[in-house]
Amino acid sequence: MPKLVLAYSGGLDTTTAIKWLSVEQGYEVVALNIDVGKSREQPVVESRGLAAGAVKVRVIDAREDFIRYFAFPALAAGAMYQDAYPLATALARPLMAKLLVDVAHEEGALAVAHGCTGKGNDQVRFDVGIQTLDPSLKIVAPTRENAMAREMQIEYLREHGVDIPWGDKGPFSIDENMWGRSAEAGVLEDPWQEPPPDAYEWTVSPESAPAEPAYLDIAYQHGMPVSLNGDEIGPVEMVTRLNDLGGRYGVGRIDHVEDRLVGIKSREIYEAPAATIFHAAHRALEGMTLSKQQLKLKKHVATEYAELIYNGLWFSAHHQDIAAYVASTQRHVSGTIRVRLQRGTATVVGRKADESLYDRGLATYDRGDTYDQSAAVGFINVWGLQTRVQTRVQLLGQMPDTLKIAMPGERE
Ligand code: ARG
């Protein structure tokens, strides 16, 4: 029997996949569970996988690698898809693709499989990742090839002697890892409908959060978080702590209609307290330590970076190029940011950095001013020169109608 390694969550889809791949497709299935945090099926993956007929269940704790090599680099880049989504699911997929390929090699497997449907982005991220890392591996996607309704899956498993109490379906489709939780489907498919309270699990509603604020100091070194309130703890612990704290203050809820790579617009509810707070603080620190030209180009690069992650191009030369640029921008992005958490908001209220470009002597309106105000006159003369020439020559000295200049349709 040919061997196959399946990315196994322990949920109904991938449990059905184990049975289907062995019975219908004749594979010897190794179930690979990759722990990127927050998985509720974690305690039962082993027993479920074996019950469904896997020859082996392997569990890899990938949390540290996930935060260190995927989430934090995306944070340093400022990558937010469509300015809204911190990319939790999207960032975990290339790591899973990589581990699938590694384990396939270790196990001498000729094929790998994942449980993605044919409608989403995740299939693209898995397939492109796997194809890039090892084009010789065959990829099987049982849910895409042979979609079964939930009741059919349960029935199919039962017919094959796998009796697992699956419980209620739950009103939404959920994907979770340490960087964020995403919910879609059910009533959320109506974009006019406010998300019901049970769409959220990591965060309390802002109105039920404590009225008293919490203050938090986050230190970064070269764009990477290194301590919370002075405690130098590891990346997994930092993210865990910040998710808990942010969640208690109602921070990190995101309601977004986003554009999938496959052309569908989709309404997503995200919860990402740690990612939201880390991004806000990081942006503030860059505001202190990068020049305005660096900030401007980096914003474009962040958009590009977010798109390449979202669109499954993690393992690409394009990513390597962009990552090199981002790393270079972060050389001096070190310092501490103070954030106030209160009723659903995370507000930056303090900033300090040894290599800050903020110069109080230049900025001050009080005593100690080091800025030469008389130098502004010559600068303004030169800065406005071309505009003055153009007005004289092309607008014949007529002032543009300042009120209507930006109002299309009122120009006639
Ligand atoms: N829309 C997000 C993405 O493509 C998350 C999808 C997660 N899946 C889910 N069943 N909620 O990255």
Side-chain angles (χ1 to χ4, degrees):
M1 268 159 91
K3 222 186 215 185
L4 170 148
V5 182
L6 165 74
Y8 182 54
S9 70
L12 178 59
D13 286 340
T14 48
T15 303
T16 309
I18 294 179
K19 187 48 81 187
W20 186 81
L21 287 162
S22 27
V23 174
E24 251 66 47
Q25 309 281 303
Y27 284 108
E28 192 170 279
V29 179
V30 174
L32 172 63
N33 178 259
I34 298 157
D35 180 8
V36 280
K38 291 281 184 183
S39 162
R40 48 203 69 218
E41 267 99 20
Q42 209 60 46
V44 295
V45 277
E46 181 140 7
S47 60
R48 276 192 191 171
L50 294 174
V55 291
K56 195 194 285 186
V57 177
R58 287 181 57 168
V59 178
I60 296 179
D61 179 353
R63 290 173 303 163
E64 172 102 14
D65 283 350
F66 176 53
I67 298 303
R68 202 183 278 282
Y69 301 116
F70 292 80
F72 279 2
L75 166 66
M80 279 282 185
Y81 184 64
Q82 297 189 318
D83 295 328
Y85 167 39
L87 295 158
T89 300
L91 282 162
R93 299 317 187 190
L95 172 57
M96 293 178 176
K98 160 92 174 98
L99 293 172
L100 266 181
V101 171
D102 287 352
V103 171
H105 293 165
E106 282 169 32
E107 297 282 342
L110 301 176
V112 293
H114 58 71
C116 304
T117 72
K119 292 189 75 169
N121 302 306
D122 286 329
Q123 54 171 344
V124 182
R125 299 167 185 150
F126 269 112
D127 288 6
V128 172
I130 294 160
Q131 288 163 356
T132 309
L133 295 170
D134 182 354
S136 76
L137 282 172
K138 182 178 159 65
I139 302 172
V140 191
T143 314
R144 184 170 59 193
E145 286 164 31
N146 179 54
M148 280 192 235
R150 185 181 164 81
E151 299 67 38
M152 268 175 73
Q153 291 180 317
I154 295 173
E155 190 47 41
Y156 178 82
L157 285 172
R158 199 175 294 132
E159 272 168 21
H160 288 88
V162 186
D163 228 337
I164 293 170
W166 288 103
D168 279 345
K169 177 181 170 293
F172 312 108
S173 162
I174 305 294
D175 184 71
E176 281 177 295
N177 64 49
M178 297 188 67
W179 202 234
R181 173 181 190 269
S182 65
E184 52 188 38
V187 295
L188 303 175
E189 285 175 1
D190 178 355
W192 179 245
Q193 186 96 115
E194 182 174 353
D198 64 344
Y200 299 104
E201 251 179 38
W202 292 15
T203 55
V204 301
S205 72
E207 31 325 338
S208 55
E212 280 300 301
Y215 287 88
L216 175 75
D217 290 354
I218 307 176
Y220 293 82
Q221 209 163 42
H222 310 305
M224 299 284 166
V226 290
S227 76
L228 292 184
N229 287 333
D231 296 342
E232 291 182 19
I233 48 182
V236 169
E237 209 186 323
M238 268 193 282
V239 174
T240 306
R241 231 196 249 185
L242 210 46
N243 274 331
D244 289 347
L245 183 67
R248 276 188 274 124
Y249 282 82
V251 170
R253 293 184 167 193
I254 299 154
D255 180 342
H256 182 223
V257 171
E258 83 189 15
D259 287 282
R260 289 189 193 162
L261 179 57
V262 294
I264 300 169
K265 279 195 187 287
S266 146
R267 204 277 190 94
E268 308 273 338
I269 299 302
Y270 297 112
E271 288 172 283
T276 300
I277 298 164
F278 275 137
H279 270 288
H282 180 260
R283 216 176 302 121
L285 184 58
E286 287 194 330
M288 293 284 279
T289 52
L290 297 184
S291 70
K292 78 173 180 186
Q293 293 86 355
Q294 288 175 304
L295 288 168
K296 184 176 166 190
L297 179 61
K298 190 160 182 289
K299 206 169 164 178
H300 290 287
V301 172
T303 305
E304 189 66 26
Y305 203 146
E307 282 181 19
L308 84 84
I309 293 168
Y310 191 84
N311 294 337
L313 301 180
W314 184 268
F315 300 106
S316 64
H318 186 43
H319 180 196
Q320 290 176 323
D321 296 344
I322 288 184
Y325 168 78
V326 171
S328 176
T329 63
Q330 301 300 294
R331 282 170 297 164
H332 307 287
V333 182
S334 303
T336 303
I337 298 296
R338 178 163 290 174
V339 181
R340 189 185 69 217
L341 306 177
Q342 190 173 28
R343 296 244 149 124
T345 61
T347 311
V348 170
V349 294
R351 316 130 168 95
K352 61 179 179 187
D354 288 344
E355 294 180 282
S356 169
L357 304 179
Y358 179 89
D359 182 329
R360 190 160 183 186
L362 290 174
T364 188
Y365 287 101
D366 297 336
R367 236 172 313 156
D369 188 357
T370 58
Y371 178 82
D372 175 6
Q373 299 201 28
S374 68
V377 178
F379 166 75
I380 294 165
N381 183 41
V382 172
W383 167 246
L385 179 62
Q386 199 160 79
T387 306
R388 292 200 307 276
V389 170
Q390 193 161 32
T391 305
R392 174 164 50 80
V393 174
Q394 296 177 354
L395 307 182
L396 306 170
Q398 291 287 106
M399 280 270 289
D401 185 333
T402 48
L403 289 179
K404 292 187 179 167
I405 204 164
M407 296 294 283
E410 284 192 32
R411 313 273 321 263
E412 305 79 43

